[in-house]
Amino acid sequence: MSTLRNKVQLIGNLGNDPEIINLESGTMLAKFSIATNESYKNKAGEKVTDTQWHNVVAWGPTAKLVENYLTKGKEVAIEGKLTSRSYDTKEGDKRFITEVVCNEIVMMGK
């Protein structure tokens, strides 16, 4: 049952080309966002689409896969874990970020 803890699975489309960062240690990092859509009918019977954006990071071999195959608009299924972190801006404001740390990617569609 411990494998079900902090597990995220999403299917969506990349909102931008991935940002690839090669760290001094030699490790590769890929950052990108995906959009997931949910449709429903409102009280008036009109179809409404709700789009949610998710920040995703991938490390090492998974980041290499992202670099080689993913571009803006591609549909992907990802699996990973949800993480949160904070940082201080130059102005001294505290910012919070929630990301999915991706450990598996499946390319969908064409």
Side-chain angles (χ1 to χ4, degrees):
M1 195 60 122
S2 66
T3 59
L4 294 179
R5 294 183 187 182
N6 196 4
K7 186 174 189 177
V8 176
Q9 295 178 326
L10 298 169
I11 297 175
N13 296 83
L14 269 73
N16 54 357
D17 287 334
E19 177 186 355
I20 305 300
I21 302 167
N22 290 297
L23 303 175
E24 290 179 15
S25 65
T27 303
M28 181 181 282
L29 168 64
K31 295 181 177 184
F32 58 98
S33 61
I34 65 169
T36 56
N37 297 309
E38 181 179 4
S39 297
Y40 62 92
K41 289 190 177 183
N42 64 15
K43 290 181 182 180
E46 302 164 327
K47 182 180 177 182
V48 177
T49 301
D50 179 39
T51 302
Q52 296 291 318
W53 287 94
H54 311 275
N55 294 320
V56 182
V57 296
W59 296 90
T62 308
K64 187 67 174 168
L65 183 103
V66 170
E67 178 186 43
N68 290 336
Y69 297 105
L70 298 186
T71 56
K72 180 179 179 176
K74 294 275 187 177
E75 185 179 26
V76 295
I78 65 162
E79 182 176 289
K81 66 180 182 177
L82 203 58
T83 62
S84 296
R85 60 186 173 86
S86 64
Y87 66 94
D88 294 321
T89 65
K90 292 177 185 175
E91 295 79 25
D93 297 325
K94 191 170 232 22
R95 299 277 189 245
F96 296 91
I97 296 178
T98 300
E99 301 169 315
V100 176
V101 178
C102 177
N103 57 28
E104 189 171 342
I105 296 177
V106 176
M107 290 167 275
M108 313 283 285
K110 297 179 182 180

